Amino acid sequence: MTPEQLRLNVALEVERGDQALSAAEALVQAQLPYDAASRAYYAAFHFARALCLAAGEAPVSHRGVAHLLSLLYVRTAVLPPDTSRLYAGLQRYRESADYDAAFVLDAAGTAQALDDAKVLVERCRTWLRSQALVD
């Protein structure tokens, strides 16, 4: 992948992540907690995928993104140690919200998911900027 292709692919993931984060915020305001939790996760997912691409990896599964985020960025201390925990928590919320009809997500849980997604997104964005991969 050329540097131009890398910047384009990273930019596309960042754009999808930003859209998902905006959607999560709107869904919280609309009092749609399950959809908000799902979109919060996808914001984190797209930013984490952008980091994977920056490292020359192109994971094809959610599990692969989580693994590479931990291996390449958390274990190497590029990102803080709790980054993997934040990501895993968002992933659990998304899976429960999407697939478990008995799962109850209250306003506090939804707010926490959104806050966690914002933290993770900002960490990823800051690193991507430091590498001149996004503006």
Side-chain angles (χ1 to χ4, degrees):
M1 183 179 313
T2 69
E4 294 80 23
Q5 290 169 323
L6 175 61
R7 279 184 57 85
L8 175 61
N9 289 335
V10 166
L12 291 171
E13 291 294 339
V14 165
E15 181 181 342
R16 296 280 303 269
D18 283 336
Q19 287 178 8
L21 190 59
S22 292
E25 292 171 335
L27 290 162
V28 166
Q29 292 300 316
Q31 298 180 356
L32 296 168
Y34 303 103
D35 293 322
S38 183
R39 291 291 93 203
Y41 165 73
Y42 276 105
F45 171 80
H46 286 293
F47 272 87
R49 186 156 159 68
L51 291 184
C52 294
L53 292 172
E57 300 288 342
V60 295
S61 69
H62 292 265
R63 180 180 289 175
V65 170
H67 174 72
L68 289 171
L69 178 67
S70 177
L71 181 69
L72 301 172
Y73 293 96
V74 176
R75 290 184 188 173
T76 60
V78 172
L79 296 177
D82 70 335
T83 302
S84 291
R85 181 189 55 79
L86 292 173
Y87 188 87
L90 288 165
Q91 191 170 23
R92 279 191 304 278
Y93 268 1
R94 196 269 309 174
E95 289 169 352
S96 295
D98 286 353
Y99 301 115
D100 183 358
F103 176 65
V104 176
L105 185 58
D106 62 11
T110 307
Q112 186 63 57
L114 184 57
D115 289 345
D116 290 351
K118 287 178 179 179
V119 167
L120 204 146
V121 162
E122 192 51 38
R123 288 176 185 177
C124 294
R125 188 186 316 275
T126 298
W127 187 86
L128 290 165
R129 281 184 178 143
S130 77
Q131 303 302 304
L133 291 170
V134 296
D135 299 324

